[in-house]
Amino acid sequence: MNNDQKYQRIWQTVQKIPAGKVASYGQIADLAGLPGRARLVGKSLGYVPKELLVPWYRVLRSSGQLAFPKGSEQSQLQTGLLQQEDVVVLNNRVRLREFLWQPDLAELLFSLEF
DNA sequence: GTATTGACTTCAT
DNA sequence: AATGAAGCCAATA
């Protein structure tokens, strides 16, 4: 399996995150069938083609922290996009107890059909 | 080949 | 709660 395919799977998986919810890099890696590859997920989100419409901003660290430093250009953009869908971002962090995406696995894996 | 890098995660302070 | 070390692993160089 080549890189493009891995990236495609990651992007597809990220597209399944519903508006108003967030997921962690590691979680997306697992769901995409690439366990242990959290860092690859981050990398691939930097490569999303602009015409593809992947909600990269719904992906955060396992701690709920945004991946970018507080106050950075990117973190501000991400915060804005999340707040547009009523996700509360406080101090560069999202409350996972409230906003973490918890998909039905059987349904999700079927809908992905790798 | 080896070495470094990183939109990460976990565990121990 | 915050910080840092160690672990992680594919992609690059």
Side-chain angles (χ1 to χ4, degrees), chain A residues 66 74-84 87 89 92:
Chain A
L66 305 200
Q74 303 230 57
S75 136
Q76 294 191 12
L77 171 62
Q78 184 169 17
T79 298
L81 291 166
L82 286 171
Q83 291 182 336
Q84 280 181 34
V87 174
V89 184
N92 214 48

Side-chain angles (χ1 to χ4, degrees), chain A residues 20-108:
Chain A
K21 288 288 172 185
V22 300
S24 79
Y25 294 94
Q27 184 185 358
I28 294 300
D30 288 349
L31 295 173
L34 302 165
R37 256 61 64 85
R39 301 181 98 126
L40 186 63
V41 170
K43 187 139 284 195
S44 76
L45 290 180
Y47 298 158
V48 175
K50 63 176 188 294
E51 68 274 13
L52 210 51
L53 225 51
V54 174
W56 57 269
Y57 55 87
R58 294 183 191 140
V59 187
L60 333 163
R61 292 192 179 153
S62 60
S63 60
Q65 284 269 76
L66 305 200
F68 304 105
K70 176 181 177 181
S72 68
E73 188 81 26
Q74 303 230 57
S75 136
Q76 294 191 12
L77 171 62
Q78 184 169 17
T79 298
L81 291 166
L82 286 171
Q83 291 182 336
Q84 280 181 34
E85 25 192 76
D86 297 319
V87 174
V88 179
V89 184
L90 275 184
N91 218 1
N92 214 48
R93 164 186 298 253
V94 170
R95 196 160 186 272
L96 294 183
R97 306 276 290 255
E98 197 168 353
F99 297 107
L100 183 65
W101 179 40
Q102 284 160 339
D104 177 295
L105 283 191
E107 184 187 326
L108 175 70

